[in-house]
Amino acid sequence: MISIVIPIYNEEELIEQLNEALASALKGAVDDYEIVYVNDGSTDSSLELLRGLQAVDSHVVVVELSRNWGHMGAINAGLQTARGRAVILMDGDFQDPPEVLPRMIDAWRKGAEVVVGVRRSRQESRKMLAFLFPLFYRVMGSLSDYPIPLNAGIFSLMDRRALDSVLAMREKNRYLPGLRAWVGYKNAIVYYDRQDRLGGEGKLSFISRIKYAMDAITSFSYKPLRLSFGLFGFTLSVSMLMLLCMFIPKSSVATAAFGLASAMFFVGGLVMLSIGILGEYVGRIYDEVRNRPLSLISHVHRPQVSIQTETGTIEVPVGSYGIAGGLSAMQAGSFQEQDAA
Ligand code: UDP
Ligand code: MG
């Protein structure tokens, strides 16, 4: 089974149309699916519409949140509820087109464990955002300490293993495209043209977008913390140059004021240095608090040993089930039964 997770906040204009579009996109592409709609404290008739859909469509799961928690909060609740072997995450406003889903599922069937929807083009009626998105991705691309696919949002498919790894990270300020890249596993990209919202208004406020961008940068880059080291180098060099100027004989710059300015740059440099050192510590404290795992295992391949039992030959990984030192035929037989059960 495949799960589709969709956060919904005041989308009454689109819900029924969306459910129909998903059903026709998924028909033929998968045998079984569930659509997990997360109602993020909508104040319009979204919840009633979703419950109405549920009455007639057995694929629909509705998660009701206690209030409006915001995009990421809704997504997280949906991901935790989804039971599929793979989970697709998308927005509920047709900006992530349902027609792309079969291509994502196809890539997953071919072995990808994370399929990322990357925007080839973007329809954005809001001019401000059309300007800010590329700027954000450029800054993120140059700052990030870990390669994160640019021009990719939440629209993606995650295999159960990758999803569980993402969910195991308990950090509160989540930048999902970053976490999804950070866990690794076999990745594939599906390019698509991001559409304009089909109806209703954009729900994310400008402030919440700025917060999200800051989450992205601070959770995947030490560079802002290290800025002080750069500034330290700069102020120290300026101060040294000024000091040297003081020794030019009969020069007009060899004045007390100039000497004072040089000293100020020097002290400024020392302050920057201490802030930089503090930053190194703060960065490490941040790592500890986030408690991300040091590594994630994708597969464990062990050499197999063949064991003869009364019922035939079985292949068992060396070292597992306490059989490293040899296993009696009886034990091996009982293991096989358990396995079958
Ligand atoms: N959304 C949500 N909670 C919120 C704001 C938005 O669940 O507090 C949902 C919204 O219904 C939509 C998705 O998140 O399905 C993306 O929101 P929107 O389209 O407004 O964001 P944009 O595309 O403008 O970035
Ligand atoms: Mg949108």
Side-chain angles (χ1 to χ4, degrees), residues 191-246:
Y191 289 95
Y192 74 105
D193 299 301
R194 186 148 167 99
Q195 307 300 311
D196 208 349
R197 173 178 261 284
L198 203 64
E201 299 279 301
K203 307 298 183 306
L204 296 177
S205 69
F206 189 67
I207 299 287
S208 74
R209 277 177 215 281
I210 297 285
K211 157 121 189 2
Y212 191 52
M214 295 295 272
D215 283 347
I217 292 169
T218 55
S219 57
F220 287 95
S221 176
Y222 268 160
K223 292 192 180 93
L225 283 175
R226 294 206 167 122
L227 193 65
S228 306
F229 281 122
L231 289 176
F232 162 65
F234 173 73
T235 46
L236 196 72
S237 337
V238 171
S239 132
M240 287 301 136
L241 267 179
M242 291 173 100
L243 200 64
L244 281 179
C245 291
M246 298 288 291

Side-chain angles (χ1 to χ4, degrees), residues 1-4 82-88 108 157-160 163:
M1 183 178 72
I2 287 196
S3 306
I4 322 291
R83 290 171 308 148
R85 292 247 324 279
V87 174
I88 295 176
W108 172 63
L157 176 149
M158 282 177 273
D159 182 75
R160 173 52 55 187
L163 174 64

Side-chain angles (χ1 to χ4, degrees), residues 7 9 11 40 68 71 91-93 95 126 197 203 209:
Y9 178 57
E11 304 284 9
D40 186 18
N68 177 248
H71 193 215
D91 281 344
D93 57 358
Q95 286 204 279
R126 292 159 298 181
R197 173 178 261 284
K203 307 298 183 306
R209 277 177 215 281

Side-chain angles (χ1 to χ4, degrees), residues 25-58:
L26 292 168
K27 199 167 56 196
V30 283
D31 297 331
D32 192 15
Y33 67 90
E34 63 174 6
I35 306 180
V36 181
Y37 293 102
V38 184
N39 178 48
D40 186 18
S42 298
T43 50
D44 65 357
S45 62
S46 293
L47 180 60
E48 289 73 45
L49 286 172
L50 290 173
R51 297 305 306 273
L53 280 182
Q54 195 167 34
V56 293
D57 184 346
S58 61

Side-chain angles (χ1 to χ4, degrees), residues 98-111:
E99 309 87 78
V100 180
L101 300 192
R103 278 163 56 206
M104 288 188 158
I105 294 167
D106 201 40
W108 172 63
R109 290 225 173 91
K110 289 188 178 131

Side-chain angles (χ1 to χ4, degrees), residues 220-283:
F220 287 95
S221 176
Y222 268 160
K223 292 192 180 93
L225 283 175
R226 294 206 167 122
L227 193 65
S228 306
F229 281 122
L231 289 176
F232 162 65
F234 173 73
T235 46
L236 196 72
S237 337
V238 171
S239 132
M240 287 301 136
L241 267 179
M242 291 173 100
L243 200 64
L244 281 179
C245 291
M246 298 288 291
F247 292 103
I248 305 174
K250 292 204 200 83
S251 148
S252 59
V253 293
T255 60
F258 205 72
L260 203 65
S262 161
M264 269 172 60
F265 269 97
F266 183 71
V267 173
L270 289 186
V271 172
M272 286 301 163
L273 175 66
S274 359
I275 295 179
I277 294 171
L278 271 182
E280 289 295 307
Y281 281 95
V282 171

